[in-house]
């Protein structure tokens, strides 16, 4: 219990630090949204119009930095992130609600599938090493893991979307997909997600495979496996009860981190496929100096990573008895 309370305290403190940095860092970026707009119009705006834009965007005199900071923290506690500048006057929370389901559906589901598939292949490759198929998985995984996923995505987009026209070039849905959750709507959603999903799967499975294979090889040399064989346990029971459980613990910690970063989306993949997830809007907010949207997405990324780590700590207490007994 003391271990979990300590982790909970670290979670709260780290979240406050992340929120504070989230307030400071965007303000260190040179320029402001109105300057970006003036550059687009090459300065052909009346000074009074510039002042009106600053007032509309909330960029006029906002008081001292401390008052701005306290107002920012109060908004976080209320769930009020202000209005998006690049999508004015849409509230930031509405942009998050619109983009988050696409990111969770695309990146979240793909991360889970790649972890399960990569871990299963890594278990096979590590336990059956010395066999042709098992040993061939390692160089293939290294090649796929080293391949830039945005480059692979561009190749898929050019061949299957531009040349063959089997899949759409961009977006998450057709202009008129039908009623929400209807058969036509699901078909449109899956067609648009097929290439991004395949891109992420192919380029991420290799990392999980290599990690799991190394863990299995390390576990295979432990004395308790020899003892389990001496007791006459079947190979299936040895794998599921001893090998998998102990080899999965280090991978599970990394998996928790990966789930946390799901909220940020796979930025380059979403940009390549123009997929309207949080990663795509994060890029748009940075290029347009959209401080409210930028801060909100960064905050949700930090919150998701910290929650994922806290969840991993809770699960590790269940899986690893050494933590419950205070020995780890």
């Amino acid at each position: 219990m003391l271990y979990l309370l300590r982790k909970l305290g670290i979670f709260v403190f780290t979240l406050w630090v992340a929120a504070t940095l989230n307030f400071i860092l965007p303000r260190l970026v040179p320029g402001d949204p109105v300057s970006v707009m003036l550059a687009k119009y090459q300065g052909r705006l009346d000074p009074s119009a510039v002042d009106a834009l600053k007032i509309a965007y909330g960029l006029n005199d906002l008081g001292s930095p401390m008052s701005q900071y306290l107002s920012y923290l109060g908004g976080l506690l209320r769930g009020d992130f202000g209005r998006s500048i690049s999508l004015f006057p849409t509230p930031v929370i509405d942009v998050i609600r619109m983009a988050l389901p696409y990111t969770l559906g695309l990146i979240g589901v793909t991360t889970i599938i790649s972890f399960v598939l990569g871990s299963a292949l890594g278990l096979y490759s590590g336990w059956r090493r010395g066999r042709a198929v098992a040993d061939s998985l390692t160089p293939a995984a290294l090649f796929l893991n080293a391949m830039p996923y945005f480059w692979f995505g561009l190749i898929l987009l050019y061949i299957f979307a531009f040349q063959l026209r089997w899949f759409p070039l961009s977006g998450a849905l057709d202009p008129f997909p039908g009623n929400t959750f209807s058969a036509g709507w699901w078909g449109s959603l899956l067609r648009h997600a097929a290439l991004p999903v395949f891109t992420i799967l192919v380029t991420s499975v290799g990392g999980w495979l290599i990690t799991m294979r190394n863990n299995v090889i390390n576990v295979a040399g432990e004395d308790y496996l020899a003892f389990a064989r001496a007791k006459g346990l079947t190979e299936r029971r040895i794998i599921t009860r001893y090998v998998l459980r102990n080899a999965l613990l280090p991978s599970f910690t990394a998996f928790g981190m990966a789930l946390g970063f799901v909220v940020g989306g796979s930025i380059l993949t979403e940009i390549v496929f123009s997929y309207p997830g949080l990663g795509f809007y994060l890029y748009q907010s940075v290029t347009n100096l959209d401080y409210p949207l930028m801060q909100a997405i960064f905050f949700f990324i930090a919150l998701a990573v910290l929650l994922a780590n806290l969840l991993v700590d809770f699960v590790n207490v269940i899986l690893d008895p050494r933590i419950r007994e205070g020995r780890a």
Side-chain angles (χ1 to χ4, degrees), residues 21 34 69 120 138 221 240 250 275 295:
L21 291 175
V34 175
Y69 175 67
T138 303
T240 56
Y275 200 81
Q295 288 181 162

Side-chain angles (χ1 to χ4, degrees), residues 108-127:
V109 173
T110 307
T111 300
I112 295 173
I113 294 174
S114 64
F115 172 74
V116 173
L117 181 60
S119 297
L121 292 175
L123 176 63
Y124 171 78
S125 178
W127 190 251

Side-chain angles (χ1 to χ4, degrees), residues 263-276:
V263 175
S266 186
I267 298 177
L268 290 178
T269 301
E270 291 184 359
I271 292 173
V272 167
F273 293 96
S274 297
Y275 200 81

Side-chain angles (χ1 to χ4, degrees), residues 5 50 177 203:
L5 288 176
V50 174
T203 55

Side-chain angles (χ1 to χ4, degrees), residues 230-292:
K231 289 173 60 178
L233 298 181
T234 63
E235 183 176 352
R236 181 176 181 179
R237 185 172 177 81
I238 291 174
I239 292 175
T240 56
R241 182 72 179 272
Y242 297 96
V243 177
L244 182 60
R245 183 170 182 174
N246 289 280
L248 202 58
L249 278 174
S251 294
F252 187 75
T253 302
F255 175 63
M257 288 289 293
L259 279 182
F261 283 108
V262 160
V263 175
S266 186
I267 298 177
L268 290 178
T269 301
E270 291 184 359
I271 292 173
V272 167
F273 293 96
S274 297
Y275 200 81
L278 286 179
F280 178 79
Y281 283 105
L282 178 58
Y283 171 76
Q284 296 294 327
S285 67
V286 172
T287 55
N288 292 294
L289 297 180
D290 189 344
Y291 298 143

Side-chain angles (χ1 to χ4, degrees), residues 21 66 93:
L21 291 175
M66 181 55 67
I93 195 64

